[in-house]
Amino acid sequence: MAKPESSPVIELVSLHKSFNGQIVLDGLDLRIEAGQTTVIIGQSGGGKSVLLKHMIALIKPDQGKVLVEGVDITRLNDRQLNNIRKNFGMLFQAAALFDSMTVGENVAFPLREHTRLKQHEIDEIVKHKLRQVGLKGVAHKMPSELSGGMQKRVGLARALALDPKIILFDEPTTGLDPITADAIDRLIVDTQKHTNATCIVISHDIESTFKIADTVAMLYHGKIVEIGKPEDIKSSKNLALQQFIQGKAEGPIQVV
Amino acid sequence: MTKFSVEAKVGFFVVIGMIVLAYMSMKVGKFEYAGEKGYELYAYFDSAEGLVKGVPVQIAGVEVGRVKEISLEAGKAKVAFQLDPEVQVGEDAEAAIRTKGVLGDKYVEVIPGSPQAQPIKPGGRIVRTQSPANIDTLLKQLSSIGTDIKEITQSLSGVLGGREGETSLKTIMDNIRSIAETLNETIQKNNENINRTLDNLAIFSKDLKEISGTNKEAVHEIVANFRQVSDQFRDALIAFSEITGKINRGEGTIGKLIHDEETIRSMNETLVALKGITEKINRGEGTIGKLVQDDETADNINAALSSINEYLQKEERFRTYVDYRGEYLFDSDDVKSYLSLRIQPKEDKYYLLQIIDDPSGKKTVTETTTTVGGTSTTEYKEEIDKDEIKFSAQIAKRYYDLGLRAGLFESTGGIAADYYLFDDRLILSLETFDFDPDENPHLKFKADFTPFQYIYLTVGFDDFISTEGTESFFIGGGLRFSDEDLKTLLSGAPIPKN
Amino acid sequence: MIKIIETIGRGLIRFIEEFGQVMFLLMSAATWMVRPPARLRAIFKQMEFVGVNSLAVVILTGAFTGAVLALQAYHGFRLFGAESLVGSTVALAMTRELGPVLTSLMVTGRAGSAMAAELGTMRVTEQIDALYTMATNPIKYLVVPRIVAGVLMLPVLTIIADFVGILGGYIVGVGLLEINSGIYVAKMIEIVELEDIFNGLVKSACFGLILSLVGCYKGFYTTGGAQGVGQATTRAVVIASVSILISDYFLTAAMF
């Protein structure tokens, strides 16, 4: 296991979580380094989303700590939590755009909520963010009028609206055609470079993972079984990891 | 169409709701707002059965207020109601609990008094009341009336029914007819005589009118006598009806007689004799027939009657109060008591008759002059009769809240002033009497406070500028009953007479 | 036998659990309600949805309820020759019972179900999570405006329903059945008290709270995708309607 020198932005310490008796996270430890893209891979339904949601306190652990810049966010109250969350941006699997608002309003939402900017300033930022994700002239459209890829771009634009230090991506390429998926991957890389934000991506798309990752972590049986640079991961001797990378049904990972 | 903003739509919607609410509240809440204004009166009912708070009070079917409170006081239902300020109720008004329809709700009907009567002041009492007619008592009364009627018709049919009765009736009718015929004949024959008599009667009744006009007292006496007579007459009638009852049942001698064949015969004979009498009238000074026909006579009699009537009506408004008061005199440690009778013919005028038992007694000064050897000495002897009773007789007149009295005060002449406060509950009085040239007059100040209906408390200062050291602070109390109260008290809770 | 008792016990536990959760939601809604900022825009939007947009259905319901009430009461009262009481019967029934209850049931069907569906969809498409990640409390943003709108708008709708119902009764009573209009109105005014109207409005505010709270609760805690949303909607309407009818009894017993 690689041990980077710099202090982690997010540190998960012996995280336990179970739903209705089913153990999802079983004493998980993970350190996320600042200013790079970490991709967490693992089987579908293996608890990747649960892990991600712990980082922004959408889910509270049964046991363990979630340290964001050294602060245990599991013990914070609503108001303190909201202050921490303003440093985050999150892109949901299905974009999670507010379908009662236009695209522009969606992107403007965090700005309206947390800044005292005037309407024309907000409009300016919204335009800028949409251009940043490669969209133009869609601000007045409703989310339902957009394709899945475009919705993800809007979701990203919304996540970027407050210029967050940490951006969480919940399976950004799932359900997209390879071309769109590639475009999104590029967008993630570009965004990371552009903002120097810490990006955390969960994915089961191996191809995409190796395109964007600075660090890859493998989640298996509620624990991080391997973490390291993409090259190290590729040459890892962990059987489960190898099975996952090569995409084989046979191996230690049982497919039900 | 212009597009309204969300706020405009919601605002418009809420305003509509408010308007509808305000409209409905005003419609429905009308009486509640009216109820806050106005003034309160109360009345005592024997029963307020079925009456609830908030039911309407009506005068002549017009709602003028609402019942505010119903409470029990001394075994009677005290009903307080709020009346509209513009509605005035006379002192002789009557309050009745009525029912809407046969099974409807109860409400209070106020039958206003005569327009001349003083209006009752706010907080006052409507004295005359009618409690609701209970359906049970109503039915009981109806059934007893029915029984009576049945009895009467039965006995009637007993007397008149049957062939025998029919023939007797026919004979009686025949006789009556022949009497009337004779009478008519007589009158026609003696027209002149009758006229003369009637003239005399006219003069007589004119005199009577004059007498009654000028000498009301005499008339009053007559009326009293007359009343006594009519009372006796009523008793006689009651006795008579008892007798007739007996007769119907065939009891007693007369009863037996009437039911006897012979009786009918003797009755016929009597009627024949009557015929004879009218024939005598025919020859002598018959007057009865013309009496009712002469106009002048009738007028005179009418005038006399109306003047009597007027007097009687005045008497009808009479109210009498009996009052006992005791005053504890601090300085002499004695109680001075007064028993008075107050006759009040009008609201603003009354006569007061009083008997006073004064512990300081009545002072009599006897002057005795004895002459011994040319020089005469005059001796003054003061006698105090502790048992002597003093009298007061005063006439009082009231102007709004100020009353004035004059007359005999404790057996000496004097005047007094009364000031009425808080609906006559507090009366401040200053009496001045016994104007002896050698002494200061007797001055008395008192304050009477009536917390309850019949009882009052008094406090004052008697003879406070006395030169003889008889001045004294006093405290006391009294009881006052009106004739109405006495009636109520003596008979207990009145029961509606069947 | 044991199974039956178990079922009953489970049902009771579920009921208590759920009731506790509803109360918890109410409590947090109450605390979020008083915390700034007041989301007037969101509240107005919900007021438009719950109030203004329900107007047509409430007017129709009220008018025909009043009309049919007049018709039925007329046939009954004619037996006693008390036709003049039809107006007061309609007015009393509308202001005290039918106005509040029917309005609330209609709004439950219209807006309560919509609340459950909307929040349910937002839950399953992670829009509620998205709100959290954007440091916006969804209870304040979504639940509070709906509850406020329910409590404020139901009395307004009810007073309109009362009025329209009385009008409907009047049209049938005076227009069709030819009851003397003067007596009809006079009897109505004589018998109906201000208290009747106001107690009805207080009731409707309580029903407004119930229907919006239940709708929000069912939607907010939806699980299980599209099917879950459907279930939440149905259950919200059923639970809210039954709760309204049950609480109506207790409110009436307490008030009149």
Side-chain angles (χ1 to χ4, degrees):
Chain A
M1 277 222 279
K3 287 248 171 181
E5 311 265 302
S6 58
S7 71
V9 174
I10 296 174
E11 189 175 5
L12 309 176
V13 184
S14 66
L15 223 50
H16 288 264
K17 184 71 184 179
S18 57
F19 292 105
N20 300 323
Q22 194 193 339
I23 295 162
V24 179
L25 300 180
D26 187 14
L28 181 141
D29 292 288
L30 179 66
R31 292 155 67 96
I32 307 284
E33 304 302 325
Q36 43 170 264
T37 304
T38 305
V39 180
I40 300 162
I41 54 170
Q43 205 190 352
S44 292
K48 298 193 299 292
S49 280
V50 171
L51 177 59
L52 197 69
K53 283 177 180 173
H54 271 95
M55 292 181 196
I56 195 166
L58 284 178
I59 296 174
K60 300 221 166 173
D62 296 337
Q63 250 180 59
K65 288 179 192 172
V66 178
L67 301 168
V68 175
E69 290 177 326
V71 180
D72 185 0
I73 62 168
T74 61
R75 290 157 184 252
L76 298 181
N77 63 26
D78 287 342
R79 199 170 309 181
Q80 293 165 321
L81 209 53
N82 276 347
N83 281 329
I84 297 281
R85 279 172 180 160
K86 281 177 195 167
N87 299 321
F88 281 85
M90 182 164 175
L91 174 61
F92 284 87
Q93 194 171 342
L97 297 178
F98 301 129
D99 36 28
S100 58
M101 299 178 187
T102 64
V103 167
E105 282 169 345
N106 262 288
V107 179
F109 184 84
L111 299 167
R112 288 230 174 87
E113 286 294 304
H114 300 297
T115 68
R116 291 173 176 277
L117 297 174
K118 297 197 178 71
Q119 185 58 47
H120 66 92
E121 294 171 308
I122 290 176
D123 287 343
E124 203 52 46
I125 295 171
V126 168
K127 220 193 222 170
H128 174 73
K129 297 288 173 194
L130 283 174
R131 207 181 300 123
Q132 206 180 321
V133 298
L135 290 172
K136 229 176 152 183
V138 294
H140 61 278
K141 286 191 173 170
M142 296 306 281
S144 53
E145 297 173 71
L146 301 181
S147 68
M150 280 165 97
Q151 284 189 11
K152 289 226 168 159
R153 284 170 196 254
V154 176
L156 183 59
R158 187 177 69 182
L160 295 173
L162 286 176
D163 297 319
K165 282 190 251 169
I166 305 156
I167 307 170
L168 308 177
F169 296 86
D170 190 357
E171 309 212 357
T173 56
T174 303
L176 299 177
D177 63 89
I179 298 162
T180 313
D182 186 54
I184 294 290
D185 285 339
R186 275 162 194 256
L187 195 59
I188 293 169
V189 174
D190 288 349
T191 305
Q192 202 279 321
K193 275 188 188 141
H194 200 255
T195 59
N196 199 29
T198 308
C199 291
I200 301 152
V201 182
I202 56 168
S203 181
H204 52 242
D205 184 343
I206 297 304
E207 203 183 323
S208 145
T209 300
F210 288 114
K211 270 186 226 164
I212 58 174
D214 295 316
T215 306
V216 178
M218 169 75 184
L219 177 68
Y220 179 58
H221 278 314
K223 286 191 177 83
I224 298 293
V225 290
E226 276 290 356
I227 184 165
K229 301 248 176 275
E231 309 85 61
D232 301 340
I233 294 295
K234 276 181 189 161
S235 57
S236 166
K237 293 189 174 63
N238 188 306
L239 291 174
L241 183 56
Q242 283 303 327
Q243 186 195 352
F244 192 81
I245 291 169
Q246 288 158 27
K248 285 179 183 161
E250 306 92 42
I253 304 172
Q254 293 297 314
V255 182
V256 183
Chain B
M1 221 177 94
T2 34
K3 206 174 174 255
F4 291 105
S5 71
V6 176
E7 286 87 346
K9 276 196 231 168
V10 173
F12 190 63
F13 173 69
V14 171
V15 166
I16 289 176
M18 301 272 246
I19 289 170
V20 172
L21 177 64
Y23 174 77
M24 282 170 69
S25 305
M26 262 168 8
K27 276 274 177 192
V28 166
K30 195 175 61 187
F31 299 120
E32 257 114 316
Y33 297 124
E36 293 308 310
K37 289 186 286 174
Y39 63 99
E40 215 182 299
L41 293 181
Y42 67 95
Y44 289 95
F45 293 95
D46 296 332
S47 161
E49 191 204 329
L51 204 66
V52 289
K53 232 165 95 174
V55 303
V57 177
Q58 299 186 345
I59 290 179
V62 179
E63 183 168 335
V64 294
R66 295 220 157 179
V67 168
K68 216 180 162 193
E69 215 178 314
I70 301 164
S71 54
L72 188 68
E73 210 175 282
K76 286 196 166 202
K78 183 185 180 185
V79 176
F81 32 84
Q82 187 99 21
L83 291 183
D84 292 348
E86 63 271 19
V87 174
Q88 295 218 320
V89 177
E91 286 218 305
D92 51 351
E94 187 170 356
I97 296 175
R98 297 270 158 86
T99 311
K100 278 182 201 167
V102 182
L103 298 168
D105 296 332
K106 294 275 197 296
Y107 67 98
V108 175
E109 172 85 31
V110 175
I111 301 119
S114 56
Q116 304 99 297
Q118 287 264 332
I120 304 179
K121 288 187 187 131
R125 174 185 169 192
I126 296 181
V127 180
R128 298 165 66 196
T129 57
Q130 270 179 33
S131 291
N134 189 300
I135 284 200
D136 279 350
T137 38
L138 218 91
L139 289 175
K140 220 183 282 171
Q141 277 184 26
L142 276 176
S143 84
S144 78
I145 289 169
T147 321
D148 286 356
I149 291 172
K150 202 167 142 199
E151 270 173 25
I152 290 167
T153 50
Q154 267 175 357
S155 42
L156 262 177
S157 74
V159 174
L160 301 173
R163 197 167 296 163
E164 253 172 55
E166 217 170 280
T167 17
S168 327
L169 261 179
K170 204 174 266 174
T171 327
I172 291 167
M173 291 306 287
D174 285 348
N175 284 329
I176 288 173
R177 197 190 298 146
S178 85
I179 290 169
E181 274 166 9
T182 323
L183 199 66
N184 196 21
E185 231 172 88
T186 315
I187 286 163
Q188 272 171 4
K189 277 182 192 159
N190 291 277
N191 220 348
E192 215 177 305
N193 274 343
I194 288 168
N195 268 344
R196 212 182 317 131
T197 316
L198 279 174
D199 285 346
N200 284 336
L201 191 72
I203 292 162
F204 169 72
S205 59
K206 206 189 260 173
D207 288 350
L208 186 70
K209 185 193 171 195
E210 273 161 22
I211 290 165
S212 69
T214 50
N215 200 340
K216 282 181 181 175
E217 222 170 306
V219 174
H220 184 220
E221 214 172 82
I222 293 163
V223 168
N225 285 336
F226 183 71
R227 201 178 272 176
Q228 213 177 328
V229 170
S230 66
D231 281 351
Q232 284 170 359
F233 185 65
R234 201 180 56 206
D235 292 347
L237 279 178
I238 291 165
F240 182 71
S241 75
E242 272 172 22
I243 291 164
T244 49
K246 279 181 185 168
I247 291 166
N248 278 344
R249 293 190 292 274
E251 281 170 25
T253 344
I254 300 169
K256 273 175 200 149
L257 282 175
I258 278 186
H259 284 252
D260 204 87
E261 188 72 27
E262 211 177 305
T263 319
I264 306 293
R265 213 184 305 133
S266 27
M267 223 172 138
N268 280 344
E269 274 165 20
T270 316
L271 287 170
V272 171
L274 258 174
K275 209 198 287 183
I277 292 166
T278 50
E279 271 158 6
K280 273 181 201 157
I281 294 169
N282 191 8
R283 275 178 265 117
E285 283 86 35
T287 52
I288 306 157
K290 196 70 190 289
L291 187 74
V292 274
Q293 282 175 6
D294 191 281
D295 282 347
E296 208 188 331
T297 321
D299 281 351
N300 283 341
I301 290 172
N302 271 347
L305 284 176
S306 66
S307 109
I308 293 168
N309 263 349
E310 204 180 314
Y311 195 76
L312 283 177
Q313 262 172 7
K314 269 188 196 159
E315 222 243 341
E316 205 81 303
R317 261 182 262 149
F318 259 57
R319 281 174 93 178
T320 315
Y321 293 92
V322 180
D323 186 334
Y324 170 79
R325 68 187 275 139
E327 291 171 0
Y328 173 75
L329 299 159
F330 279 80
D331 283 20
S332 56
D333 194 15
D334 264 319
V335 176
K336 190 171 174 183
S337 8
Y338 303 73
L339 181 66
S340 43
L341 179 71
R342 193 167 107 180
I343 300 156
Q344 189 157 359
K346 276 188 192 167
E347 189 56 38
D348 59 351
K349 189 177 159 189
Y350 66 87
Y351 303 99
L352 184 73
L353 297 171
Q354 211 168 38
I355 305 166
I356 302 132
D357 177 19
D358 192 348
S360 65
K362 190 181 172 182
K363 192 171 70 186
T364 13
V365 182
T366 15
E367 190 184 339
T368 329
T369 313
T370 34
T371 315
V372 182
T375 43
S376 58
T377 21
T378 313
E379 243 186 83
Y380 295 100
K381 204 172 158 193
E382 266 189 29
E383 263 181 41
I384 294 169
D385 187 348
K386 289 263 181 193
D387 292 320
E388 185 74 64
I389 279 174
K390 295 179 183 174
F391 292 97
S392 292
Q394 294 154 24
I395 177 166
K397 178 97 177 127
R398 183 171 167 178
Y399 308 93
Y400 300 104
D401 287 340
L402 181 70
L404 292 177
R405 279 182 284 142
L408 213 55
F409 286 75
E410 303 190 16
S411 305
T412 69
I415 52 167
D418 302 310
Y419 196 67
Y420 295 87
L421 289 161
F422 307 113
D423 296 322
D424 299 4
R425 291 181 137 218
L426 181 65
I427 306 166
L428 304 177
S429 311
L430 182 67
E431 296 176 352
T432 316
F433 53 92
D434 195 4
F435 298 100
D436 192 326
D438 298 323
E439 289 168 21
N440 283 338
H442 189 133
L443 257 65
K444 180 177 174 183
F445 173 77
K446 66 177 164 102
D448 290 355
F449 177 60
T450 313
F452 313 109
Q453 224 178 343
Y454 306 119
I455 300 162
Y456 64 91
L457 303 169
T458 183
V459 62
F461 206 20
D462 197 1
D463 206 3
F464 55 87
I465 53 166
S466 166
T467 46
E468 297 163 320
T470 53
E471 71 270 35
S472 177
F473 183 72
F474 68 83
I475 187 162
L479 297 165
R480 186 189 298 126
F481 300 107
S482 73
D483 43 356
E484 291 279 343
D485 297 330
L486 283 175
K487 246 195 289 181
T488 319
L489 287 172
L490 293 177
S491 58
I495 299 149
K497 290 189 174 71
N498 291 344
Chain C
M1 186 65 196
I2 300 278
K3 258 192 180 162
I4 295 166
I5 294 170
E6 263 181 355
T7 316
I8 293 169
R10 215 177 294 127
L12 188 69
I13 288 165
R14 247 187 75 79
F15 172 76
I16 292 168
E17 248 176 29
E18 218 162 321
F19 188 74
Q21 272 180 306
V22 170
M23 285 300 119
F24 178 76
L25 183 68
L26 179 62
M27 289 289 288
S28 45
T31 47
W32 278 106
M33 198 181 300
V34 293
R35 273 188 216 174
R39 296 186 173 276
L40 289 180
R41 268 200 72 81
I43 290 175
F44 269 110
K45 240 180 138 172
Q46 287 306 318
M47 279 163 90
E48 185 200 12
F49 176 68
V50 175
V52 181
N53 297 348
S54 303
L55 193 57
V57 67
V58 164
I59 284 177
L60 275 175
T61 316
F64 281 94
T65 306
V68 79
L69 211 57
L71 205 60
Q72 295 283 29
Y74 177 78
H75 289 302
F77 281 133
R78 202 174 47 175
L79 299 176
F80 308 99
E83 292 97 328
S84 59
L85 284 175
V86 168
S88 10
T89 308
V90 171
L92 270 188
M94 284 309 295
T95 54
R96 291 172 70 143
E97 280 304 324
L98 297 180
V101 171
L102 285 182
T103 302
S104 309
L105 291 182
M106 294 315 290
V107 175
T108 303
R110 223 198 124 267
S113 61
M115 287 175 189
E118 215 178 321
L119 295 199
T121 307
M122 288 183 83
R123 168 62 78 186
V124 298
T125 58
E126 297 183 303
Q127 289 179 48
I128 286 176
D129 283 341
L131 277 172
Y132 275 119
T133 64
M134 282 183 272
T136 297
N137 189 294
I139 290 178
K140 179 156 184 68
Y141 186 73
L142 298 173
V143 177
V144 170
R146 282 168 172 78
I147 290 179
V148 170
V151 172
L152 292 184
M153 286 296 102
L154 258 288
V156 183
L157 285 170
T158 300
I159 191 72
I160 291 172
D162 287 354
F163 182 74
V164 171
I166 289 168
L167 208 66
Y170 180 85
I171 289 166
V172 169
V174 175
L176 291 175
L177 303 172
E178 294 175 347
I179 302 168
N180 179 289
S181 68
I183 294 175
Y184 189 95
V185 173
K187 280 274 173 196
M188 196 156 73
I189 289 170
E190 185 189 317
I191 288 175
V192 178
E193 299 284 339
L194 207 55
E195 212 192 340
D196 296 323
I197 297 174
F198 277 116
N199 284 350
L201 295 187
V202 171
K203 272 208 245 180
S204 69
C206 296
F207 299 157
L209 175 69
I210 290 173
L211 76 90
S212 53
L213 188 63
V214 171
C216 288
Y217 167 76
K218 277 288 157 194
F220 201 77
Y221 296 106
T222 299
T223 49
Q227 199 199 352
V229 174
Q231 256 174 18
T233 309
T234 313
R235 287 191 62 80
V237 172
V238 172
I239 292 174
S241 305
V242 171
S243 307
I244 284 169
L245 291 174
I246 291 172
S247 65
D248 180 44
Y249 172 80
F250 290 104
L251 285 170
T252 307
M255 273 178 192
F256 293 107

